[in-house]
Amino acid sequence: MVPSDVSVSAASPVVRSAEPSMRPSRSCPRTGLAEKGTHALPRRRVRGRVCDVACGLGLGRGRSRGLASPSVVVAAAEEPQEEQLTSGLSDEYARKWEEWRNTSEWAGMEPAVYKIQEGQALKVSSGAFGSILTGFLGTFGHGYSFDIASQKETNKASELKRPEKAIEIYEFQGCPFCRKVRVAVSVLELDVLFKPCPSGGTRWRPQAVEKGGKSQFPFMVDPNTGTEMYESDEIVKYLFENYGPGAENIPLAFAIRNNLLLNGIGLIPRNLLGSANKARPSSGQKPVPKPLSLWGFETSPFVVLVKEVLCELEIPYTQYSCPRGSAKRQELKQRKNRFQVPYIEDPNTGAELFESGAIVDYLTSVYG
């Protein structure tokens, strides 16, 4: 069940996809017209490579483009947003945050690990379906190990090259192609700036089309190497090659479980509940000055629920991936005296929140 939102006319050229067998004949959220983007910077083409996943899905040659120079840093907001930002808008977000703290029943809730709040059981169970179906791929970081004597979990992420500037990924939560990339982000314990592009979105979708030239997701921009890239499998190979143990060392179990079919079926329960595929009417109308910070990993159903709302509201966020064995778990515990995900920090209001229900309520109240 791949949601469809881009029409393709018979007279227009259709962009080839790496996953032809799963695309509906009329339209697809990842592909659209081969639009001609206007690029301010000269571009060099990065050769795509054929990626054959062990599950046997036929995958075509990826297309990628390189920027002449990196232009985005996570800590900085987008320039168009900075121009629109006013002191009145900052005051409005701060006012809504104060109002939420004083009136919401979620505001004073004590965080509790693995506790499912009343009325949340169906959402949490449906959010866990994809993780169960893929064998909890993304729960454990690369090279995960557990020492019985010390009861300590570790992984080998510290041995891998880390990007100096956060990689940017344009995607949306209900897309199986996008989930394949998000799983790789968690396994490699990467910190990524996500720019949500739900159907009908007006904040990041137009920017993605302008940068890449077509409406296709996921779309990755790496300011560290000046590379732009489409195709989920090509992006996964790129991440493993540049920030992992190497593309040739992608584990066979990872390739088998992180396939389009399992990820697509795994998203069905949440997509049937109407989540994360369409932008909310109020989203995109007011700029979000700075990206939010989210601690989490792909297989947590509680994190899934928060990311759905971030997507629907088109709120940019930097995900600090902390799968099992991640040193970031201990860092967060030292800072907040506990480790629990999801956890968000909002530099626009000063909010710091655990508990998925509280975070969802907060986001809807302040940015909805």
Side-chain angles (χ1 to χ4, degrees):
M1 291 192 62
V2 181
S4 174
D5 66 288
V6 179
S7 297
V8 179
S9 65
S12 302
V14 179
V15 180
R16 290 185 179 181
S17 169
E19 294 86 357
S21 62
M22 293 299 294
R23 180 187 297 124
S25 59
R26 290 183 59 83
S27 61
C28 174
R30 302 179 63 251
T31 58
L33 303 181
E35 300 177 42
K36 295 181 180 180
T38 302
H39 305 298
L41 298 173
R43 295 173 180 269
R44 56 178 175 81
R45 185 171 295 279
V46 180
R47 177 172 297 180
R49 291 171 290 182
V50 176
C51 180
D52 296 318
V53 177
C55 66
L57 290 174
L59 300 173
R61 184 173 295 276
R63 299 185 179 185
S64 55
R65 299 186 179 187
L67 288 171
S69 61
S71 58
V72 183
V73 181
V74 169
E78 293 292 323
E79 288 185 6
Q81 290 180 321
E82 289 182 335
E83 294 174 1
Q84 298 176 50
L85 182 60
T86 63
S87 59
L89 181 58
S90 299
D91 292 342
E92 179 182 348
Y93 286 145
R95 177 183 58 78
K96 288 184 176 181
W97 158 232
E98 276 299 321
E99 183 179 337
W100 181 83
R101 286 201 299 179
N102 294 327
T103 61
S104 175
E105 61 182 11
W106 289 99
M109 183 167 292
E110 187 69 23
V113 179
Y114 300 128
K115 181 179 180 180
I116 299 177
Q117 302 296 339
E118 184 178 352
Q120 301 293 305
L122 180 60
K123 291 182 178 181
V124 172
S125 59
S126 60
F129 187 70
S131 301
I132 295 172
L133 204 61
T134 55
F136 296 97
L137 189 62
T139 301
F140 302 93
H142 170 70
Y144 172 85
S145 63
F146 177 72
D147 184 76
I148 298 178
S150 63
Q151 296 291 296
K152 200 175 179 183
E153 296 178 306
T154 59
N155 64 35
K156 296 182 178 180
S158 61
E159 301 174 10
L160 303 174
K161 178 183 177 182
R162 303 287 84 180
E164 293 183 7
K165 302 175 183 178
I167 298 166
E168 301 172 29
I169 297 180
Y170 296 80
E171 56 97 51
F172 62 98
Q173 190 69 16
C175 169
F177 304 101
C178 299
R179 190 179 190 277
K180 291 166 64 177
V181 173
R182 296 196 303 265
V183 167
V185 166
S186 283
V187 169
L188 296 175
E189 202 180 317
L190 293 171
D191 299 339
V192 169
L193 174 60
F194 284 103
K195 297 184 175 181
C197 301
S199 175
T202 58
R203 181 170 289 157
W204 303 114
R205 271 195 175 231
Q207 185 181 104
V209 172
E210 181 180 358
K211 282 178 175 288
K214 55 185 175 181
S215 181
Q216 179 174 321
F217 304 97
F219 175 55
M220 183 203 73
V221 177
D222 186 353
N224 302 282
T225 62
T227 300
E228 289 184 346
M229 185 175 290
Y230 290 105
E231 306 295 349
S232 56
D233 286 274
E234 291 299 310
I235 294 173
V236 170
K237 287 183 67 177
Y238 174 88
L239 295 176
F240 268 85
E241 179 65 32
N242 290 274
Y243 306 110
E248 71 280 2
N249 294 319
I250 296 177
L252 179 61
F254 176 94
I256 293 175
R257 290 150 63 192
N258 195 36
N259 67 67
L260 179 62
L261 181 62
L262 293 180
N263 280 299
I265 295 175
L267 289 170
I268 289 176
R270 291 304 303 151
N271 286 343
L272 286 177
L273 294 175
S275 65
N277 292 324
K278 293 185 178 180
R280 297 191 184 186
S282 60
S283 71
Q285 296 179 6
K286 296 179 181 179
V288 178
K290 298 178 182 178
L292 276 62
S293 297
L294 170 69
W295 277 258
F297 54 98
E298 183 60 26
T299 53
S300 167
F302 303 99
V303 173
V304 167
L305 299 180
V306 169
K307 293 178 75 169
E308 285 178 355
V309 177
L310 287 168
C311 182
E312 292 169 357
L313 294 174
E314 302 179 80
I315 299 174
Y317 63 96
T318 301
Q319 176 178 302
Y320 295 94
S321 302
C322 44
R324 298 292 293 266
S326 171
K328 296 173 195 169
R329 292 183 167 225
Q330 186 60 33
E331 292 172 7
L332 183 58
K333 187 175 182 179
Q334 291 175 349
R335 286 180 52 199
K336 307 302 295 184
N337 296 319
R338 67 185 304 115
F339 174 79
Q340 182 178 332
V341 294
Y343 169 70
I344 70 160
E345 291 181 350
D346 186 348
N348 303 300
T349 64
E352 299 181 354
L353 297 170
F354 290 101
E355 286 296 334
S356 58
I359 296 173
V360 167
D361 190 59
Y362 163 80
L363 293 174
T364 303
S365 299
V366 175
Y367 295 103

